[in-house]
Amino acid sequence: MERKHNLEQVLAQAQERLRSESERRRTMQQVSDLLSANWDVAEVFPRISASIRRVLRQEFASFVLHDPSTGLLVRQAMDFPLGRGVIATQQVVSTQSPSGRSMQERATKIFSREQLEEFQEEVANSFLAEGMQSLCCVPLIRPRGPLGVFMVGSTRNEAFQSDDVALLRQVAAQLALSIENYRAAQEIEQLKRRLGEERIYLQGIKRPEGEFPEIVGDSAALKTVLDQVATVAHSDATVLILGETGTGKELVANAIHRMSRRKDGPLVKLNCASIPTGLLESELFGHEKGAFTGAISRKIGRMELADGGTLFLDEVGDIPLELQPKLLRVLQDQEFERLGSNRTVRVSLRLVAATNRNLAQRITDNEFRSDLFYRLNVFPIRMPALRERRDDIPLLVRHFVHKFAPRMDRYIEIIPKETMRTLSEYHWPGNIRELENMMERSVILSSGNVLQVPLPELRVEPASKGEPESSLEAAEREHIVRVLRESNGVISGPAGAAQRLGLKRTTLQSRMQRLGITREDYSAPVED
């Protein structure tokens, strides 16, 4: 009988162990499911604590994370339904606390009431004030080191046994993994957000790949120019690009060649103002050996190199008067002779010329041949000054920042509104070239993620009382008068000043009235 009783006890104990083990496995499965669904441990911690409570019957559960910057442990979540609120006030814990000792030693620690009384720590006194008799601290360990501590407490003495510690360590391992995953996910999300902000910041910087990928801008004045380029590019007509220095005339020449039927041929460039007058003829047309002192061999000129392609003559208004007939002959007959030779060289090329000079005025001053002007002026394209396309300034600023920042190992995210407003209001006498140089200097000056522009250099002094117009208005007035002269006073029509300025006829007339421009201003030559 006694033997039977003993067997029944052993069987009952075995069943209890199986039930307890099954309950613990179920608890671990619930914890795993909760953390798999949500890595934010602080958010799901009350439900995790409730699952553990069904097995351990603890009254208190919490976890703290180590803050490397302060060395303290910061509470992230707490589950203490019957607490008096004493522990709730202790959000930050020092490393001299029970949990701090567990993390430092990287070992699970069980503290009795007597052991808690030995701590000279306010948080330990808070546990005692809440009636805690047992406290179990389990470090949250990952390969990089301890992340924090998982704690459970009970008002029962010796509440946590070895089986309980094994369960708590398993839970702590799951918590540590989820915390690490959550942090990694946050870092990835932060990087994505930063990249997203950068993409937003870069929107509008690059013109969509299309006919004009190298030209940045979306203003009405620029669109007028690009429409003209698209119209003339497919023909072989001579193009004269007019405009102030730094407005991007060479970019337009590149676009014309790239879109032309000669795109597979060479694009040869020459700045006529950069070559000494005595060498310009040789540079353009070439020379034979012995043609002049120092001509030790034959040289092929730019005209011949451009055969089958496009020749771009920048600053064509600076060609000396004595060379202009020879250039006119190339435009008329596509032939010339090298310097020192009688043999005629025939070429097939398209000429694109550019100048910031007032050719009509130079004709009046007998510095430029009228017949050459008419040959060059087959299809004139006027590049608007930057002050005429202010809507493009923010796009250009971002474009140049994007261009220079990587070269100088800078990451610039922010352009202050005041900075952009000042840049947009400045009159930019050097046009896009000046803006580009200013942005390069600004990127160099920017040590953080905010663009530092030397704004005092760009401040436009307001017009004093009694002064009829500001410097900006003066520049605008001078530019309109110059275009009116180039168009022989014609305002409307395909070759009129309004078309060249990218304005409506009524808008131009309104500006002329506002700036006090009369027919006498653009019909009579300017006196020195």
Side-chain angles (χ1 to χ4, degrees), residues 200-488:
I200 294 172
Y201 162 74
L202 295 177
Q203 280 180 0
I205 292 178
K206 293 183 177 180
R207 192 179 182 88
E209 292 296 328
E211 293 182 324
F212 307 101
E214 70 274 74
I215 299 177
V216 177
D218 201 28
S219 63
L222 183 61
K223 285 180 178 178
T224 298
V225 170
L226 299 184
D227 288 343
Q228 291 175 326
V229 170
T231 299
V232 74
H234 299 290
S235 71
D236 260 355
T238 301
V239 178
L240 179 60
I241 307 172
L242 304 167
E244 299 176 14
T245 181
T247 52
K249 297 187 288 292
E250 186 172 344
L251 290 179
V252 169
N254 292 339
I256 291 173
H257 174 72
R258 194 190 65 254
M259 297 171 64
S260 72
R261 292 175 293 186
R262 297 175 176 265
K263 61 184 178 181
D264 295 328
L267 171 61
V268 179
K269 302 177 182 180
L270 178 65
N271 188 314
C272 300
S274 65
I275 307 296
T277 302
L279 299 178
L280 184 58
E281 183 177 5
S282 171
E283 196 67 32
L284 273 172
F285 305 104
H287 64 254
E288 296 291 341
K289 180 179 178 180
F292 52 86
T293 303
I296 59 176
S297 62
R298 173 189 287 182
K299 177 180 179 179
I300 303 300
R302 302 293 178 97
M303 291 281 184
E304 210 165 338
L305 291 174
D307 188 25
T310 303
L311 176 65
F312 174 53
L313 294 182
D314 199 4
E315 305 299 346
V316 71
D318 291 307
I319 290 182
L321 195 61
E322 60 270 20
L323 288 185
Q324 292 177 21
K326 203 166 183 179
L327 177 60
L328 177 62
R329 182 185 172 196
V330 174
L331 290 176
Q332 289 177 334
D333 305 324
Q334 299 274 292
E335 62 182 29
F336 63 93
E337 287 84 31
R338 296 192 194 100
L339 194 62
S341 171
N342 293 323
R343 188 173 70 86
T344 299
V345 179
R346 297 194 59 82
V347 291
S348 173
L349 60 82
R350 178 189 195 169
L351 183 66
V352 177
T355 183
N356 61 357
R357 298 294 191 104
N358 185 340
L359 295 184
Q361 183 62 44
R362 288 178 68 80
I363 292 171
T364 303
D365 296 339
N366 294 319
E367 295 178 349
F368 204 86
R369 292 175 62 103
S370 58
D371 49 0
L372 176 58
F373 170 72
Y374 297 134
R375 280 290 181 179
L376 293 173
N377 201 42
V378 174
F379 195 96
I381 296 177
R382 193 194 73 82
M383 292 299 296
L386 189 54
R387 60 182 172 273
E388 299 174 45
R389 39 180 294 209
R390 296 187 183 277
D391 292 346
D392 291 336
I393 291 178
L395 297 175
L396 288 163
V397 168
R398 296 187 180 100
H399 169 77
F400 290 131
V401 170
H402 177 268
K403 173 183 176 181
F404 294 120
R407 298 182 186 178
M408 302 172 190
D409 197 23
R410 299 286 197 274
Y411 180 78
I412 297 175
E413 297 179 287
I414 301 170
I415 302 177
K417 291 183 179 179
E418 173 64 20
T419 298
M420 189 64 81
R421 184 185 66 79
T422 303
L423 293 172
S424 298
E425 291 180 353
Y426 184 59
H427 62 284
W428 298 110
N431 293 292
I432 299 172
R433 185 178 294 116
E434 181 185 3
L435 175 63
E436 181 177 11
N437 294 337
M438 175 61 72
M439 289 305 100
E440 184 174 9
R441 178 147 44 106
S442 301
V443 170
I444 295 172
L445 295 173
S446 303
S447 57
N449 66 343
V450 180
L451 184 67
Q452 301 293 331
V453 180
L455 294 179
E457 300 180 19
L458 303 179
R459 302 295 184 187
V460 180
E461 294 296 329
S464 59
K465 290 184 179 180
E467 191 175 89
E469 55 193 3
S470 67
S471 57
L472 178 59
E473 288 178 333
E476 184 181 13
R477 187 180 193 279
E478 179 183 353
H479 179 66
I480 291 176
V481 168
R482 179 167 58 82
V483 174
L484 284 166
R485 286 173 178 165
E486 291 175 357
S487 58
N488 297 320

Side-chain angles (χ1 to χ4, degrees), residues 116-179:
L116 289 174
E117 289 173 349
E118 295 175 2
F119 284 91
Q120 302 298 317
E121 256 286 322
E122 188 176 356
V123 67
N125 295 330
S126 299
F127 283 124
L128 295 171
E130 291 282 6
M132 292 292 168
Q133 300 291 327
S134 302
L135 181 68
C136 182
C137 299
V138 187
L140 303 172
I141 304 294
R142 291 300 296 160
R144 296 182 181 179
L147 302 177
V149 181
F150 169 48
M151 296 175 286
V152 292
S154 175
T155 57
R156 293 174 289 111
N157 190 31
E158 298 182 356
F160 307 111
Q161 305 303 317
S162 59
D163 289 347
D164 303 328
V165 171
L167 173 64
L168 292 174
R169 283 175 176 167
Q170 290 178 332
V171 173
Q174 291 277 0
L175 294 178
L177 179 60
S178 294
I179 290 168

